[in-house]
Amino acid sequence: MKMNDLPKRKPTRLKNYDYNSEGAYFITICTHNRKNLFGNIVGAIHESPEMNLNSNGIIVDDYIRKSDSRFELKIDKYVIMPNHIHLVVVIEERAIRESPLRKRSLISKAMGYLKMNASRDIHKNGYNDKIWQRSFHDHIIRSEADYLSIWNYIDGNPQKWEKDCFYNE
């Protein structure tokens, strides 16, 4: 089979959009085959269910927190779920002024850093399979209403886990 015979991957980014632009982005990263790797949702019916991170989830949490200081962006809100993470990432004007020319977007660099380093540390702990699904999903947040809706979605994600499109028993 020649390279030209392989199926073409559908582009995942908005065509002609500068992902180094100032603004907010909603990012979702899934585990490979949506395998539950980061912990589980705990809480009885009358309690508020919440995510209980395992050692893999703690590693991911650590790298999310490190992304703020390593890159000129801000992780404004995030949730780690059993098999995916959601983040609101904000690029501020300062970051654009300090690094105007980039081949890869700041978002791609930060998500690559998170995935690569978390994978390395999880593998050091003995997990030998793939950790992440290829790439990540992004949504450009275009209004305050959109931002608030996403914020609330992230906030309520553990409570709605069994109805989530990523739910996997």
Side-chain angles (χ1 to χ4, degrees):
M1 180 183 279
K2 297 178 191 175
M3 287 295 276
N4 293 344
D5 296 338
L6 296 173
K8 300 282 186 224
R9 263 187 90 202
K10 184 177 138 188
T12 58
R13 306 289 162 254
L14 184 62
K15 192 175 180 174
N16 299 320
Y17 185 81
D18 179 5
Y19 281 88
N20 288 318
S21 298
E22 178 181 5
Y25 302 83
F26 176 48
I27 307 294
T28 300
I29 307 174
C30 294
T31 61
H32 183 67
N33 292 329
R34 295 188 181 167
K35 187 169 183 178
N36 294 345
L37 295 178
F38 304 137
N40 54 19
I41 304 295
V42 296
I45 295 170
H46 299 293
E47 295 176 32
S48 180
E50 57 186 41
M51 181 63 186
N52 183 28
L53 297 176
N54 61 20
S55 59
N56 295 337
I58 291 168
I59 289 169
V60 171
D61 187 58
D62 186 47
Y63 280 105
I64 290 171
R65 291 174 190 270
K66 288 177 183 176
S67 296
D68 266 6
S69 59
R70 182 165 176 87
F71 297 93
E72 291 294 324
L73 50 75
K74 180 179 173 191
I75 308 294
D76 218 16
K77 181 79 170 169
Y78 70 95
V79 66
I80 301 170
M81 297 295 288
N83 62 9
H84 66 283
I85 59 177
H86 293 300
L87 309 101
V88 172
V89 178
V90 177
I91 297 177
E92 297 171 341
E93 186 179 345
R94 183 185 79 230
I96 299 163
R97 282 197 310 264
E98 290 176 6
S99 301
L101 300 173
R102 288 190 176 94
K103 286 188 176 185
R104 252 176 90 209
S105 76
L106 200 54
I107 301 280
S108 290
K109 284 182 181 182
M111 296 308 106
Y113 164 83
L114 166 64
K115 290 169 73 172
M116 178 184 70
N117 287 289
S119 292
R120 182 196 62 219
D121 288 0
I122 291 168
H123 286 133
K124 279 182 188 176
N125 283 347
Y127 185 78
N128 295 318
D129 235 347
K130 284 180 78 171
I131 308 294
W132 303 105
Q133 185 175 319
R134 191 172 179 181
S135 196
F136 58 89
H137 173 77
D138 69 83
H139 168 79
I140 301 158
I141 301 174
R142 294 186 171 100
S143 68
E144 189 171 338
D146 194 18
Y147 180 90
L148 290 173
S149 173
I150 290 166
W151 182 281
N152 290 330
Y153 175 78
I154 288 174
D155 227 20
N157 209 216
Q159 291 81 23
K160 297 175 182 168
W161 173 232
E162 290 185 2
K163 295 178 182 172
D164 194 296
C165 66
F166 299 115
Y167 178 72
N168 185 5
E169 292 184 70

